[in-house]
Amino acid sequence: LVAFGDSSGKGAAAALYGALVSGMLRSLGTDKIGPADMLKELNEVLMERKVAAQYVTLLSILWNASRREMTIANAGAIPPLLIRRGKISQPLVAGVPLGLLAERDYDETVLHLEVGDVVVLYSDGFQDPKPFTPTIVVGIDAQADKKWKCIQAMPSQFGDKDSWQGRTLPNVPQD
């Protein structure tokens, strides 16, 4: 299970809330439940301990390597990008941030990945144009170098994501 999220606010309050959510995720992560059910349970626990003006956006992703599938549930986060053969798409998966509203259900979507696909998880801070140097790149096949070049080509193009959605990126290596 992969959890990727962002706590609202800045400073110590946001960091402490993020740490609280991280601890809760670790305890729920052993329950062998799907991503949507995990988000629902986590939201219920957070609503029992409501902290004013605090919430968290979170993607919950279950990777099945044998089927090359990612099952994704979303609680207010930006959906991941799927880069396949130089084209970018974004799965439709949405939901309410955790800790805002009680009794929320979350949907799941399944991404079937192919050899050479790249999935990019990012938060709203990444959309602001800044120098970008990822520290971790995980490949699911032998094409990690090609994926790294693709990721390196993308940051300058994030500023206006909607204009290139579904089209080929001009700076992505095609070989």
Side-chain angles (χ1 to χ4, degrees), residues 17-31:
Y17 196 71
L20 171 73
V21 171
S22 177
M24 291 177 178
L25 270 170
R26 288 181 183 272
S27 66
L28 289 173
T30 61
D31 289 347

Side-chain angles (χ1 to χ4, degrees), residues 49-116:
R49 296 163 181 81
K50 181 80 174 129
V51 177
Q54 290 292 341
Y55 62 90
V56 67
T57 61
L58 188 69
L59 287 171
S60 179
I61 302 170
L62 184 62
W63 169 242
N64 183 319
S66 64
R67 294 194 305 228
R68 301 182 74 82
E69 288 180 349
M70 292 180 93
T71 303
I72 304 169
N74 188 354
I78 300 169
L81 299 176
L82 171 63
I83 304 169
R84 178 175 287 158
R85 294 183 290 280
K87 291 190 178 266
I88 292 182
S89 63
Q90 197 165 33
L92 297 176
V93 58
V96 175
L98 302 172
L100 276 182
L101 301 171
E103 300 178 19
R104 296 287 107 189
D105 288 318
Y106 294 90
D107 296 323
E108 293 178 346
T109 191
V110 177
L111 278 181
H112 301 280
L113 299 180
E114 299 174 5
V115 172

Side-chain angles (χ1 to χ4, degrees), residues 7 22 30 42 51 81 84 86 90 105 113-114 116-117 138 151 154 159 161 164 167 172:
S7 184
S22 177
T30 61
L42 184 55
V51 177
L81 299 176
R84 178 175 287 158
Q90 197 165 33
D105 288 318
L113 299 180
E114 299 174 5
D117 284 354
V138 178
I151 289 169
M154 290 179 55
K161 175 179 67 67
W164 47 255
R167 295 187 307 194
V172 174

Side-chain angles (χ1 to χ4, degrees), residues 88 150 152-164 168-172:
I88 292 182
C150 184
Q152 287 176 313
M154 290 179 55
S156 63
Q157 300 172 57
F158 266 82
D160 188 19
K161 175 179 67 67
D162 292 332
S163 70
W164 47 255
T168 301
L169 291 173
N171 299 332
V172 174

